[in-house]
Amino acid sequence: MAKAEELQGLRDEVEQVSLEIVRLLGKRMELVARIADAKKKLGEPLVDFEVERRVRSRLSDEARKLGISEELVNKITTLMLQESVKLQEAGEKPKRQVSHFDIFRRARELEAEGKRVVRLEVGEPDLGAPGEVAGATAEAVKQGRSRYSDAKGIAELRKKLAEYLSNKYNTEVKAENLILTPGGRFAIYLTMRTTLNMGDEIIIIDPSWPMYKNCAEFLGVRPVVVNTSVENGWLPNADEVAEKITQATRAIVLNYPCNPTGKVIDRRTFRKLLDIARENNLYVISDEVYADYSFSEYPPSVLEYDDANFIRVSSFSKSWGMTGYRVGYVTASRELVERMAKINGMLITCVPEF
Amino acid sequence: MAKAEELQGLRDEVEQVSLEIVRLLGKRMELVARIADAKKKLGEPLVDFEVERRVRSRLSDEARKLGISEELVNKITTLMLQESVKLQEAGEKPKRQVSHFDIFRRARELEAEGKRVVRLEVGEPDLGAPGEVAGATAEAVKQGRSRYSDAKGIAELRKKLAEYLSNKYNTEVKAENLILTPGGRFAIYLTMRTTLNMGDEIIIIDPSWPMYKNCAEFLGVRPVVVNTSVENGWLPNADEVAEKITQATRAIVLNYPCNPTGKVIDRRTFRKLLDIARENNLYVISDEVYADYSFSEYPPSVLEYDDANFIRVSSFSKSWGMTGYRVGYVTASRELVERMAKINGMLITCVPEF
């Protein structure tokens, strides 16, 4: 009986503490509204990323000091910061951004009117799928190879891909390191969903394919940008990358050959970036879908380095003109592939076998 | 200058309040650990859903009273409760559950050994895809219809589907109410991702296809179960459903004909459940993939009712034996379809055109 009373007492205490947390949230939002006001009068921008980072880092330190989960505090901090931004932006006009898909649609319209349009807005190769692929696909469909299959993709294909990559990069990729996805975008999503938590930061080198930031934000992850420019040959500065790393940083996206700049990175800089990632225990998400689109150098790949935190994303779209087949794939450690397979299996069962 | 100082002062205050929140989180976790201890001594189960709901509802009330976002408080409450469970379960043995995919794999193994296995574990029709479909697909592939297409699926198919559904259910479905997805699972995911937030509750009628709970948990949404049994003919009790609804409830999943029970719901009960949903402003996610698998009654559909919060999920897998083609689709209000299209476009670009 005494034990039961003690339990009830503890529960009441938890409730009081929880209510106090909510009240403090209320107080916080009140202060944030006043800050928004003060900023407006000073003509300052509403979102100050450096202030946010300082808050995040202070709270994270406090969590560590108290011995409570940093992940939990990071997530709650993210929610509070998101709410602050929402509150401060209330009444502001939403920014309408032109996406590359708007341009894609406009191009289609112009073409429908009979105009000739040179299409640079979407990475759709002119080549089209090889005849053998189309033939074999048609054959597989006719043979009825259209039942549920493996969440990682069919074994034959993974084995062949493993051989192909092992030869190409003079390394050892096994079938167990590969998972097929419905396109390169889903490969990026699976990779980010598996390696990142809400409240984490990810370093992205701009200009970049919008998917990286969109997907990060979709997952409550904060993209931290390192800029490059045509003046420095679109080459990221390694020191600048290192400077952007905080306790919250979990990953960096590399995309060479780069969409949209076309930049092929040199091996020395690539290596330097990988070293920085390794020193800081970051995942490297190397999007190498354009690996076969280099006219000069042979582009470097994370597969040339042996590290369980290096992940290579690719697809059949660009190398083999198979955009509409929707086949992407990830090369990663066995453990990561298993975690991705669970999500793949839940969300899409499998990719078509044909 | 005075303004700038005021801004700094406010920022310092926000930081203090935020730190105080983290400290209270620490205190909360300490109390939770003691509760876990007390429960163990009393032999009580670690997770008490009713206690959780009471906490959630108290905090939600407080948020409303203070005029701060209930959604924010719901999310933070969810994170705190998840952390509590994690903390209390630390040291407990993980429960290994047998999934239907384990059985699927075992069946394949037995078949590989030459044994004859009657397969009930996965909903894969014997029929296989119709010859015309396989033929037309093969033809489309050969013609090179394998480029990027629309995030909602090709217009012709959506138009045809709209006509088909309009005729079948004597209603008016337009192409703009339809979106194609890579399979029924992804249709469920898109629907839940679009209608639910972390911390929301969703009502699921058991026994049920595991996807509903898995997907809800994947999104930080709490599944609330209403049980049915063979004794009452697998019929859900409408009053029981109504009782489970709280402020946090956002949706209910209906799945008739039901996987796994095979139950076809009668129109009167179906209607009653829809009325309850409407009264409580809930989304209805009606998974009707087995709509063509009824040997007696003609199964009711949400499409027979006109409500922007009713969503129908279906696929080509069960009706037309096209499991391996991976084609699912959602019928919903135009506004919901637009939101789903954004996510579809980001995560998978489009489904294959062929």
Side-chain angles (χ1 to χ4, degrees), chain A residues 1-244:
Chain A
M1 198 56 208
K3 273 285 158 209
E5 267 163 37
E6 190 197 325
L7 182 59
Q8 194 47 53
L10 287 167
R11 277 188 175 141
D12 291 344
E13 257 189 275
V14 167
E15 187 168 317
Q16 285 315 312
V17 171
S18 305
L19 279 170
E20 192 52 34
I21 290 175
V22 173
R23 279 180 210 123
L24 286 173
L25 279 173
K27 194 167 164 197
R28 194 179 188 285
M29 291 310 144
E30 218 180 281
L31 289 166
V32 165
R34 284 170 60 196
I35 288 181
D37 215 47
K39 278 190 197 162
K40 240 174 247 164
K41 280 179 192 146
L42 285 164
E44 278 194 26
L46 285 185
V47 180
D48 186 331
F49 185 48
E50 279 314 310
V51 172
E52 274 197 14
R53 291 185 108 190
R54 218 158 44 225
V55 170
R56 201 184 274 289
S57 146
R58 283 293 308 269
L59 298 186
S60 195
D61 286 345
E62 189 72 19
R64 210 165 326 113
K65 222 173 69 189
L66 294 170
I68 61 174
S69 158
E70 273 184 76
E71 195 184 310
L72 172 70
V73 170
N74 254 333
K75 285 181 180 173
I76 290 182
T77 308
T78 304
L79 289 175
M80 293 195 301
L81 291 173
Q82 282 173 350
E83 187 71 17
S84 305
V85 172
K86 216 191 283 175
L87 205 72
Q88 299 192 21
E89 277 176 351
E92 301 272 307
K93 260 188 230 122
K95 283 159 263 161
R96 167 82 181 110
Q97 289 187 322
V98 177
S99 95
H100 60 307
F101 269 101
D102 294 321
I103 301 177
F104 176 65
R105 267 188 292 270
R106 181 74 187 119
R108 283 215 155 173
E109 281 169 25
L110 287 170
E111 283 176 341
E113 290 167 19
K115 303 233 166 74
R116 189 174 133 67
V117 181
V118 178
R119 303 269 290 270
L120 298 170
E121 83 293 358
V122 172
E124 174 129 45
D126 296 328
L127 15 139
E132 301 92 299
V133 171
T137 304
E139 199 44 49
V141 171
K142 282 195 196 144
Q143 283 174 12
R145 294 188 66 167
S146 52
R147 295 182 166 264
Y148 288 134
S149 111
D150 195 299
K152 287 180 215 156
I154 53 174
E156 296 147 79
L157 177 56
R158 287 195 296 140
K159 203 170 148 254
K160 280 283 175 206
L161 257 184
E163 281 168 21
Y164 167 77
L165 293 170
S166 297
N167 284 333
K168 183 168 173 138
Y169 294 109
N170 192 22
T171 179
E172 202 202 346
V173 175
K174 292 184 191 154
E176 66 185 33
N177 300 121
L178 286 164
I179 179 166
L180 278 293
T181 64
R185 283 178 174 271
F186 207 73
I188 298 280
Y189 166 74
L190 274 189
T191 303
M192 288 196 181
R193 183 63 171 76
T194 311
T195 55
L196 304 170
N197 273 311
M198 198 171 94
D200 289 345
E201 289 179 8
I202 185 168
I203 294 179
I204 290 166
I205 297 165
D206 260 2
S208 61
W209 186 35
M211 169 66 179
Y212 308 133
K213 283 179 208 162
N214 293 345
C215 188
E217 278 160 5
F218 184 71
L219 296 171
V221 168
R222 163 74 72 175
V224 175
V225 167
V226 172
N227 284 305
T228 64
S229 65
V230 69
E231 287 77 19
N232 55 25
W234 303 119
L235 199 67
N237 181 318
D239 295 335
E240 225 173 291
V241 170
E243 271 165 33
K244 298 275 180 173

Side-chain angles (χ1 to χ4, degrees), chain B residues 36-94:
Chain B
D37 216 45
K39 278 191 198 161
K40 240 174 247 165
K41 281 180 191 145
L42 285 164
E44 278 193 26
L46 286 183
V47 180
D48 186 331
F49 186 47
E50 279 314 310
V51 172
E52 274 196 14
R53 291 185 109 189
R54 219 158 45 226
V55 170
R56 201 183 273 289
S57 146
R58 283 293 307 270
L59 299 185
S60 196
D61 286 345
E62 189 71 19
R64 211 165 325 114
K65 221 173 69 190
L66 294 169
I68 61 174
S69 159
E70 272 183 76
E71 194 184 310
L72 172 70
V73 170
N74 254 333
K75 285 181 180 174
I76 290 181
T77 308
T78 303
L79 289 175
M80 292 194 301
L81 291 173
Q82 281 172 351
E83 187 71 16
S84 306
V85 172
K86 216 191 283 176
L87 206 71
Q88 299 192 23
E89 277 176 350
E92 302 272 307
K93 261 189 229 121

Side-chain angles (χ1 to χ4, degrees), chain A residues 250-262:
Chain A
R250 288 288 165 278
I252 176 167
V253 176
L254 299 180
N255 171 220
Y256 298 102
C258 177
N259 171 9
T261 64

Side-chain angles (χ1 to χ4, degrees), chain B residues 278-335:
Chain B
R278 219 188 298 244
E279 282 157 25
N280 292 280
N281 207 17
L282 305 185
Y283 288 105
V284 174
I285 302 175
S286 184
D287 180 350
E288 304 179 9
V289 287
Y290 289 100
D292 297 315
Y293 281 67
S294 169
F295 299 105
S296 49
E297 276 177 274
Y298 180 66
S301 166
V302 280
L303 292 186
E304 296 165 12
Y305 305 87
D306 187 32
D307 193 307
N309 287 341
F310 294 176
I311 303 159
R312 181 182 188 265
V313 172
S314 193
S315 87
F316 287 24
S317 299
K318 318 299 179 184
S319 295
W320 300 306
M322 288 171 63
T323 48
Y325 285 72
R326 312 305 310 127
V327 188
Y329 62 99
V330 182
T331 318
S333 73
R334 187 167 183 271
E335 189 243 325

Side-chain angles (χ1 to χ4, degrees), chain B residues 328-349:
Chain B
Y329 62 99
V330 182
T331 318
S333 73
R334 187 167 183 271
E335 189 243 325
L336 281 175
V337 166
E338 287 301 325
R339 279 161 61 196
M340 290 181 202
K342 276 206 183 121
I343 302 178
N344 220 23
M346 183 181 71
L347 293 185
I348 59 150
T349 313

